[in-house]
Amino acid sequence: MHKIWLIIQREYLTRVRKKSFIVMTFLTPLLLAAFMVIPAWLATISDSSDVVMVLDESGLFADKLESKEDLKIIPIGGTLEQAKEVYQETDYSALLHIPKIDLENPEGIKVYSKKNTSLQVKFRLEGMLEKEIENQRFVASGIDREMLNKMKAKVEVTTVNLSARGEQDSNVWVTSGAGIIGAVIIYFFIFLYGVQIMRGVIEEKTSRIVEVMISSVKPFQLMMGKIIGIAGVGLTQFLLWVILSTIVVGGVQSAFGIKAAPTPIEQLQAGRAAAAGEAEAEESDEAAANNQTLAEVSSAIGNLNFPLLIGCFLFYFLGGYLLYGSLFGAIGAAVDNETDTQQFMFPITIPLIISFIMSYTVVIKNPDGPVAFWMSIIPFTSPIVMMVRVPFGVPASELLLSMALLILGFIFTTWIASRIYRVGILMYGKKINYKELSKWLFYRV
C-alpha cells in the first residue's frame, strides 16, 4: 500500500505542476465567463430601435400598425416607386409595401431593405399584420375577439411526489436536469482522464521509464497508483473549475450588470411573442403563470435530495472512472503508440456511448422501465444511467445492488487489466490483436 501511495503522489504532483494544467485550470473559467458574458454585452451595445416605412395601398391597416418600443412605424403615401426613392435617402431599416389584398388571401406583401432583413424585423411585421388581419376577419364574421380570448383555456398540471416524508412538489424539468448534468459530467470525465491514463502508460512504456519502475514495484501497484493519481488530478481540476467559474462569472456580471445572453431560439420566440401583440390581460396572465412556474421550480429544487444526489454522484463518478480507467491503462500497456489504440478503444467506449444516448432517448422518458433498470445495474452503463434515475427516486435495494455490482465490476476489470498490464508494459515491437490479449490473461510472469 505504501508503494501505491508513492505512485499516487508522483502521478498527482507531476501533473498538477505542469504548465498545461495550471494554464487550463485558470483559463477555462475565464473562457466560460467570456462565453456567457460577451454575447450579452455585445447584445446590449448592438440593440437599437428598428424604423420601418409602411406604404399601405390597401387602406386596411391605416393607423392600425402602432409603433413599439423597438420598432417604429412611419406611414408614407404615394406610389411604390416614390416610396422606394424616399427610402433610399434614409437610414431606415426597411420599407413595408402592402398592396391591395383580399383578407381571405393576403398575398403580395413585401419588405424592401438595403441589406438582408433581420429575422426579428420580419417576425414582428408578420405578427402585427397577422393580428390585424385576424381582427378584421373577426369583425366581418361578427365574432367578438375579446369573448374568444376569454374562452381560451390554459391548464397547468402540478406534479406532487408521495413519499415517506409526505407530499412534496416536483418538477420533471428540474428532476431530469439534475440527472442529466451529473451523467454528462461523468461521461466526459471518464473519456478525458481515461485517455490521460492510456497516454501516460504509452509514454512511460516508449521511454523505457517503466522498466526501471517495475524493478521496485509490481505492475498491479503501478497501474493502481496511476489510475488513482490521475483521478485526484481530475477531481482537483474539476473542483477548481466550479469554484473559479462561479467567482469569475458572478463577479463580471455584478460589475457590469450583464445578464446571461438568451439563446437564438429564445430571442426568436420573444420576437414572435412581442410581434403578436397579446392583450394586456393575456400578458398579465402569462406573467402570473411564469411566476407560478418559477415558484414550482424553486420548490422542486428545494425538495431534491441533495445529500443523496451528491453521494451518488461521487460514488459513480469515481466508480465509473476506476472501472474504465483500468481498461484504458491496459490498452496503453498493450500498444506501442497511440495510433494502435483505436481498435481496442472502440469496444470499450461502446457501452459509454450507448448509455449516454439511451439516457436521453429512453431512460429520461421512463426511468422505472426495464431498459432503465438493467442499464443502471450493469457496471459498464450504470455510472451514467443510474445518475439519470436517482433524482426520480430509485428503491434502496436497486441502488445498493447497482453499487455492489459496480464495485465487483471494477475489481474484475482491474484483474483483467492487471493481467494484460504485467505482460504488455514490457512488450515492444509486436502488433497486438484480441487473440494475443486473451493469451496474456493466462501467462505466468
Side-chain angles (χ1 to χ4, degrees):
M1 189 64 190
H2 176 66
K3 292 181 179 180
I4 294 179
W5 175 246
L6 291 176
I7 296 171
I8 292 173
Q9 287 182 310
R10 173 186 175 272
E11 293 293 334
Y12 183 85
L13 295 175
T14 299
R15 282 170 169 76
V16 297
R17 289 172 178 172
K18 287 183 177 180
K19 290 183 178 179
S20 58
F21 176 88
I22 297 173
V23 170
M24 289 307 301
T25 298
F26 288 94
L27 183 61
T28 299
L30 294 176
L31 293 175
L32 178 62
F35 179 76
M36 294 178 64
V37 173
I38 290 180
W41 176 69
L42 292 176
T44 58
I45 64 175
S46 62
D47 280 347
S48 58
S49 177
D50 291 303
V51 181
V52 177
M53 296 174 59
V54 178
L55 175 59
D56 180 17
E57 295 180 343
S58 68
L60 298 173
F61 303 93
D63 301 326
K64 294 181 179 179
L65 298 181
E66 299 178 353
S67 297
K68 304 294 182 181
E69 182 178 351
D70 56 349
L71 182 63
K72 187 176 181 181
I73 301 297
I74 298 180
I76 188 174
T79 64
L80 177 59
E81 294 302 323
Q82 292 173 337
K84 288 180 180 179
E85 292 179 2
V86 174
Y87 168 67
Q88 291 287 357
E89 297 176 356
T90 67
D91 56 354
Y92 295 159
S93 303
L95 167 63
L96 174 64
H97 174 230
I98 307 174
K100 294 181 179 180
I101 59 174
D102 182 4
L103 289 177
E104 299 300 325
N105 188 24
E107 294 182 350
I109 301 176
K110 295 182 180 180
V111 175
Y112 298 91
S113 61
K114 301 171 186 176
K115 299 179 181 179
N116 290 332
T117 305
S118 68
L119 287 176
Q120 181 178 358
V121 171
K122 180 178 183 295
F123 284 159
R124 289 182 66 82
L125 290 175
E126 287 177 347
M128 296 169 69
L129 293 171
E130 287 172 359
K131 180 189 174 184
E132 186 54 39
I133 290 175
E134 289 175 0
N135 286 336
Q136 296 195 33
R137 285 179 178 178
F138 286 141
V139 172
S141 302
I143 300 175
D144 187 348
R145 178 160 191 158
E146 292 185 3
M147 183 61 69
L148 182 63
N149 290 333
K150 291 179 180 179
M151 294 175 64
K152 293 181 180 179
K154 184 176 182 181
V155 179
E156 291 285 345
V157 178
T158 302
T159 56
V160 180
N161 285 344
L162 294 176
S163 62
R165 294 182 292 176
E167 296 185 4
Q168 294 182 333
D169 292 337
S170 66
N171 185 286
V172 67
W173 295 108
V174 173
T175 307
S176 302
I180 289 296
I181 290 173
V184 168
I185 293 174
I186 292 174
Y187 177 81
F188 284 105
F189 181 88
I190 290 174
F191 266 107
L192 179 62
Y193 292 99
V195 171
Q196 283 196 24
I197 294 174
M198 182 184 68
R199 289 174 177 170
V201 174
I202 295 174
E203 181 182 351
E204 291 177 352
K205 180 179 177 180
T206 54
S207 63
R208 304 298 176 92
I209 295 175
V210 70
E211 295 180 1
V212 179
M213 299 179 69
I214 287 298
S215 63
S216 302
V217 297
K218 295 179 180 180
F220 177 79
Q221 294 173 325
L222 181 59
M223 183 183 67
M224 285 300 299
K226 184 177 292 293
I227 292 173
I228 297 174
I230 295 178
V233 174
L235 281 173
T236 301
Q237 193 169 53
F238 175 72
L239 291 174
L240 287 174
W241 280 344
V242 172
I243 295 171
L244 293 175
S245 297
T246 303
I247 294 173
V248 172
V249 173
V252 172
Q253 289 183 346
S254 299
F256 294 95
I258 299 174
K259 297 181 180 180
T263 64
I265 294 177
E266 291 173 339
Q267 291 177 351
L268 294 182
Q269 289 176 340
R272 274 289 194 181
E278 293 85 359
E280 293 183 2
E282 292 180 354
E283 292 178 354
S284 62
D285 290 342
E286 184 177 353
N290 291 335
N291 291 334
Q292 182 180 357
T293 301
L294 290 175
E296 291 177 0
V297 170
S298 300
S299 178
I301 292 175
N303 288 330
L304 287 175
N305 191 342
F306 282 102
L308 177 63
L309 288 176
I310 295 173
C312 289
F313 173 77
L314 292 176
F315 178 85
Y316 286 102
F317 187 86
L318 293 175
Y321 165 77
L322 293 174
L323 186 146
Y324 279 96
S326 61
L327 296 178
F328 277 109
I331 293 175
V335 300
D336 293 335
N337 56 73
E338 196 169 338
T339 305
D340 297 333
T341 63
Q342 301 304 318
Q343 60 172 323
F344 300 112
M345 282 187 62
F346 184 67
I348 291 177
T349 56
I350 284 179
L352 274 176
I353 297 172
I354 290 177
S355 60
F356 191 74
I357 294 174
M358 296 298 288
S359 294
Y360 277 96
T361 57
V362 177
V363 178
I364 204 73
K365 296 179 181 178
N366 188 10
D368 297 318
V371 174
F373 170 77
W374 287 109
M375 293 191 72
S376 63
I377 295 299
I378 299 173
F380 290 98
T381 57
S382 62
I384 292 176
V385 176
M386 184 55 86
M387 275 310 305
V388 176
R389 291 189 62 201
V390 167
F392 289 93
V394 179
S397 58
E398 293 184 16
L399 190 59
L400 292 175
L401 176 61
S402 174
M403 290 181 171
L405 290 178
L406 181 58
I407 294 174
L408 292 176
F410 162 62
I411 295 173
F412 177 70
T413 56
T414 302
W415 177 81
I416 291 179
S418 64
R419 305 288 291 185
I420 297 174
Y421 192 84
R422 67 195 180 115
V423 178
I425 54 176
L426 298 176
M427 187 75 68
Y428 300 98
K430 184 177 181 180
K431 292 293 183 181
I432 307 301
N433 53 36
Y434 289 103
K435 183 178 180 180
E436 186 68 23
L437 285 179
S438 64
K439 293 180 180 180
W440 290 4
L441 296 177
F442 305 101
Y443 277 177
R444 291 185 178 181
V445 179

